[in-house]
Amino acid sequence: METQQQDATAAVDALVGALAAFDVIDLSPVLGPDVPRFATHPEIQIVERTRTIPLHGFGMQTLILPEHVGPHVDAPAHVLADRPDATVDTLAPTALWGRAVKVDLGRRELQAGELVDVDELLAAAGAGIREGDVVLIDFGWSRHLRPGGRGAAWWGLNTPGLTERACRELRDLGVRAVCSDSSTCDCSVVDGEMVAAYGHAEHFLPNDISIVECLDGLDRVPGLSYFAATPLRIRHGSGSPLRPIALVPRG
C-alpha cells in the first residue's frame, strides 16, 4: 500500500512538473448575448441578479445557454437522424484532449464559400497529422470579428470550408476532432446559404470524429500544441459549450 502511494505521488508530481513547462492559451471569448454564433442559432441570454447578496445572502445569474453557442462541440445526433443516441452525454471527458496540429490558413485571406482542398490543407499543417490528433484549422476568420472587420452578424452568415477530398483525408488519417475559428468548421456558407457540408454529413460525425466550432485566438497557437476541452454531460445533448485551451511549451 505504501509503495502504491509513493508511485501515485511520484506520478502526480511528474505531471505537475510537466505542466509547469507549458503556457495556456485560452481559445474562448467571454460568453454573453453578443458572442459570435451561426446565424440560425439562438443567442445566450443572461438574467442578471436572479439572486443578490443583500436579498438572499449570495449572488447568482441565470443562464439560457444554447448547446451550439460560443466554442462548442457537435455530437453526431446534431445532424444525423439515424444516430439519435449518439449524444454529447455519451462522450468521454477526455474525448477532446490530445496532440493538436494547427492548419495555418490565416495568410490566405479566404473568402466566404471558398473550399480548401486536401493538398493545401496538408501543406498548411504545422506538423504531420497523425491518428488520434486534434486538428485546429485557422481559416483566419477571426479577423472579421476584430476592429475593421465585417462584424459578428456577417461572420455568422459566411464561412469558408473544406472540400470532400480534404474531409475524407482527415477521416482516413483517423483524427480525433476537427476544430476551427469559424461557425461551421468544414461547412462553407455564403449569405446564410450552405455551399458544402462534407464533414458534418459524410466523413466526420458519421465516424465519431468530433467537430468543434467558434474557437477564438487560433492565430496565437503554434503549429503543434496540446488541446483540451471537456463537454458538459447534457442529457440527450446534440452538443455542448466548451472552455477550450491549448497548452504550448513555454518559451
Side-chain angles (χ1 to χ4, degrees):
M1 192 70 175
E2 183 177 351
T3 300
Q4 290 179 340
Q5 183 62 47
Q6 290 173 343
D7 290 344
T9 299
V12 171
D13 287 346
L15 177 60
V16 171
L19 290 175
F22 288 81
D23 288 323
V24 175
I25 298 177
D26 193 343
L27 298 175
S28 175
V30 176
L31 298 186
D34 59 345
V35 71
R37 69 190 192 284
F38 188 60
T40 60
H41 290 171
E43 65 183 24
I44 296 173
Q45 298 181 47
I46 300 178
V47 183
E48 299 180 351
R49 298 169 60 83
T50 53
R51 296 292 185 272
T52 66
I53 293 175
L55 289 179
H56 307 97
F58 60 93
M60 185 174 70
Q61 300 183 125
T62 295
L63 306 181
I64 301 174
L65 187 61
E67 294 172 335
H68 300 266
V69 68
H72 65 274
V73 61
D74 291 358
H78 179 45
V79 296
L80 303 179
D82 61 339
R83 298 195 61 195
D85 296 329
T87 51
V88 74
D89 46 319
T90 66
L91 291 179
T94 57
L96 302 175
W97 298 14
R99 178 184 185 264
V101 175
K102 175 179 166 179
V103 176
D104 189 357
L105 299 167
R107 296 186 183 90
R108 278 273 280 106
E109 296 192 0
L110 292 161
Q111 303 303 305
E114 189 170 354
L115 297 176
V116 176
D117 205 358
V118 60
D119 293 338
E120 183 174 14
L121 179 83
L122 297 179
I129 298 173
R130 304 191 310 212
E131 183 178 0
D133 280 351
V134 175
V135 178
L136 306 175
I137 302 177
D138 180 7
F139 286 116
W141 218 237
S142 294
R143 72 183 187 275
H144 296 299
L145 301 174
R146 309 289 182 248
R150 297 195 181 206
W154 185 91
W155 181 93
L157 287 166
N158 296 274
T159 69
L162 302 177
T163 65
E164 193 274 337
R165 292 202 317 159
C167 293
R168 179 162 19 99
E169 178 69 15
L170 292 174
R171 180 206 68 191
D172 291 346
L173 287 168
V175 301
R176 175 187 302 267
V178 182
C179 319
S180 79
D181 61 343
S182 67
S183 64
T184 58
C185 196
D186 59 282
C187 304
S188 60
V189 183
V190 178
D191 294 334
E193 294 293 326
M194 193 72 67
V195 176
Y198 301 109
H200 275 68
E202 297 180 36
H203 296 301
F204 298 163
L205 294 181
N207 292 286
D208 296 305
I209 297 171
S210 294
I211 292 173
V212 175
E213 298 160 334
C214 302
L215 297 180
D216 184 57
L218 281 180
D219 55 316
R220 297 181 289 125
V221 178
L224 194 62
S225 63
Y226 190 89
F227 182 85
T230 299
L232 301 174
R233 294 189 72 186
I234 302 169
R235 181 181 297 172
H236 308 315
S238 68
S240 171
L242 304 168
R243 180 73 179 269
I245 62 170
L247 298 172
V248 301
R250 184 162 296 146

